[in-house]
Amino acid sequence: MGRSKGTPAWAFDAGSQPNSSASRERWPPLGPRTCLLAGSSAAAAGPGLLAGATVLAVTLLRLGPDATVDDLAASLDGNGYALVEGVLSPDDVEARRAALADLFAATPTGRNFFEGFHTQRVYAVFAKTRAFDDLAVHPLLLGALDHALGEHYQFSAPVALQIGPGEKAQILHRDEDVYPLPRPHAPVVVNSMWALCDFGEANGATRLIPGSHRWDPDRRPDEREVVQATMPAGSMLVYLGGLVHGGGANTTATPRPGLLLEYVVSWLRPQETQLVAVPPETVRDLPERLQELLGYNVYPPFLGYVDGRHPRRVLDSDAAPTVDVLRGPEAIETAQARSRE
């Protein structure tokens, strides 16, 4: 099947969308189904993972607030996603949602079907609010990122978004397919969705196909394999860039706010250029780990240097990491030793 006009090359065509007439005619309504580790039984999932999880007959494998990084890693490897409930308290969620009120009020809806004509997206979010700095470096999330992407990664497309009433389901796609890399390949993108309200089937919970990150390159999505990642406010959904997914339709009268933090390995170009999106005077006062995520990092041996030196030199000319990265590890070790004197 060819792509419909305007469909990105990295997205599946309109025949895969639940809102297309072809899809509605082709696939009848389906009843509940259980999703554990895709293509495996509960026993095969292993006691370590199931001990920290609750398996519901209707939805996905869910982890509780006591989940460990190992739990998330096992679910990411097997399912392509990890859903953790109870990460944020109700009061915490309310405060973060309130921090977005003025930003959403000033943000227009999308310009195309992929952004969503009834969806608002606050781009350059770390230039506009400090409400989510801690979520970007949440230990559970960073542990999952370290597992999937390795040691070196940065933001690709952090955005606060609000799916408005009347929005249609987004076309199914893989986030990492914006990069022309031959499949299969190791994960290069990981996304995280933070629920700032209850995500339900009616208001646009993310649609995904468990296990699709392990598909053969030519396999196409089947609507009968799609499930929705419903989750209460304060939950975090982490999923690999190779997982087939898409935003859900909002058939309610209320917007569905959320925070989407997408990360990419540091040797690939991010979707949104954070070095330009977030002014240096803003980044200068942020924690070092957050600075690195915003692009002030070097991928070994020296990808990302500025004028032959670590990009943090732009923020602070006296900072220890601003040594000449082209001189090799000895220079870095010397500078670090001097900083401790």
Side-chain angles (χ1 to χ4, degrees):
M1 293 182 289
R3 294 189 302 274
S4 59
K5 184 178 181 180
T7 302
W10 39 267
F12 296 103
D13 63 31
S16 301
Q17 298 184 77
N19 288 307
S20 68
S21 58
S23 176
R24 288 194 296 270
E25 294 170 359
R26 191 173 182 184
W27 307 127
L30 297 174
R33 55 195 175 281
T34 300
C35 291
L36 298 172
L37 293 173
S40 65
S41 65
L49 179 60
L50 292 180
T54 300
V55 180
L56 303 181
V58 190
T59 55
L60 306 169
L61 180 67
R62 298 170 183 271
L63 300 169
D66 58 344
T68 67
V69 171
D70 287 342
D71 293 330
L72 270 71
S75 190
L76 282 173
D77 290 345
N79 286 315
Y81 73 89
L83 196 165
V84 188
E85 297 183 349
V87 182
L88 305 178
S89 70
D91 289 344
D92 194 359
V93 171
E94 183 177 355
R96 296 176 195 271
R97 190 168 59 238
L100 288 173
D102 290 343
L103 292 176
F104 280 137
T107 300
T109 52
R111 299 156 292 184
N112 53 61
F113 75 92
F114 192 79
E115 283 187 325
F117 291 113
H118 297 278
T119 296
Q120 297 167 286
R121 294 175 181 264
V122 179
Y123 294 113
V125 67
F126 287 99
K128 301 172 181 177
T129 178
R130 302 271 60 82
F132 306 110
D133 291 358
D134 58 330
L135 298 190
V137 294
H138 192 284
L140 205 57
L141 176 56
L142 290 185
L145 292 167
D146 289 346
H147 171 77
L149 301 180
E151 185 179 352
H152 302 282
Y153 49 84
Q154 59 193 359
F155 287 132
S156 179
V159 59
L161 73 166
Q162 186 163 255
I163 297 180
E167 186 61 87
K168 297 181 179 180
Q170 191 181 41
I171 193 169
L172 295 173
H173 63 282
R174 293 186 178 95
D175 289 332
E176 67 183 21
D177 282 353
V178 296
Y179 300 106
L181 301 174
R183 298 180 62 86
H185 57 73
V188 294
V189 172
V190 171
N191 225 322
S192 64
M193 171 64 80
W194 294 82
L196 299 181
C197 71
D198 292 339
F199 280 24
E201 293 184 359
N203 72 351
T206 303
R207 307 167 65 244
L208 54 85
I209 301 181
S212 54
H213 64 301
R214 295 187 280 112
W215 282 3
D216 293 334
D218 295 332
R219 181 173 171 179
R220 302 193 58 80
D222 184 328
E223 280 293 325
R224 293 174 292 187
E225 300 172 289
V226 173
V227 293
Q228 282 192 270
T230 59
M231 53 184 176
S235 302
M236 175 183 68
L237 173 68
V238 184
Y239 53 97
L240 300 178
L243 190 75
V244 176
H245 72 285
N250 188 349
T251 60
T252 72
T254 305
R256 191 227 71 182
L259 177 71
L260 193 65
L261 300 179
E262 181 175 313
Y263 302 78
V264 65
V265 290
S266 297
W267 52 270
L268 282 174
R269 183 174 183 174
Q271 290 189 42
E272 183 179 53
T273 306
Q274 300 300 310
L275 291 172
V276 178
V278 186
E281 55 268 25
T282 298
V283 181
R284 185 172 292 114
D285 297 328
L286 299 179
E288 182 176 310
R289 188 69 182 95
L290 192 53
Q291 292 175 346
E292 293 173 348
L293 293 175
L294 288 167
Y296 293 83
N297 65 75
V298 168
Y299 183 88
F302 43 71
L303 292 182
Y305 67 81
V306 175
D307 197 17
R309 296 173 181 266
H310 196 287
R312 198 172 294 114
R313 179 190 177 105
V314 176
L315 304 176
D316 183 0
S317 59
D318 296 325
T322 63
V323 299
D324 187 342
V325 296
L326 301 184
R327 292 178 180 170
E330 295 81 7
I332 296 176
E333 291 173 359
T334 299
Q336 290 175 338
R338 288 175 178 172
S339 70
R340 292 192 293 268
E341 293 176 355

